[in-house]
Amino acid sequence: QVQLVESGGGLVQPGGSLRLSCAASTRIARIFNIYDMAWYRQAPGKQRELVATITSTGSTDYADSVKGRFTISGDDAKNTVYLQMNSLKPEDTAVYLCNAYRRWMGNEFNYWGQGTQVTVSA
């Protein structure tokens, strides 16, 4: 299995920045060559929302709501995925969760971190 641990959340004022980290622990040496990685977020009373993805081939994609403000990246040597969040807005307030996804042999594999709280407030 894959264990994911997020960190870097906190309280920030509107317009500020945070960088979230997702550290993966697994027997797989280079997880990012096998799994697609993503950041989701979930606010109370709302559906879980896909924020950003980075595939095993390195391509990235973003939700329209964060495009131009957030950047997803990975460090293969550290098995860590980052989410750089700039120009934060109150609507960005949520628990942010890291996800690892793989489809193999007709099955889908999903692993989730515990989440890290991001609060954007004056």
Side-chain angles (χ1 to χ4, degrees), residues 12-118:
V12 65
Q13 292 186 324
S17 298
L18 286 173
R19 188 176 76 159
L20 306 183
S21 298
C22 172
S25 178
T26 179
R27 294 173 58 191
I28 301 172
R30 297 192 299 167
I31 186 171
F32 304 133
N33 288 168
I34 299 172
Y35 289 86
D36 296 337
M37 306 297 296
W39 285 98
Y40 288 75
R41 66 187 181 187
Q42 187 163 24
K46 296 184 179 180
Q47 297 288 327
R48 183 170 294 181
E49 175 188 17
L50 177 60
V51 176
T53 60
I54 182 166
T55 71
S56 60
T57 58
S59 63
T60 59
D61 199 10
Y62 301 91
D64 288 341
S65 59
V66 307
K67 196 171 299 181
R69 300 188 296 121
F70 290 11
T71 302
I72 188 171
S73 61
D75 186 331
D76 288 344
K78 296 181 178 180
N79 272 353
T80 300
V81 172
Y82 303 97
L83 185 68
Q84 178 66 46
M85 305 185 296
N86 299 325
S87 302
L88 283 163
K89 305 174 181 179
E91 65 189 280
D92 296 319
T93 296
V95 173
Y96 283 72
L97 303 106
C98 183
N99 168 258
Y101 172 81
R102 180 190 182 191
R103 184 170 183 173
W104 184 69
M105 297 293 289
N107 295 315
E108 295 184 4
F109 300 86
N110 272 292
Y111 300 95
W112 297 89
Q114 82 289 344
T116 184
Q117 177 71 47
V118 172

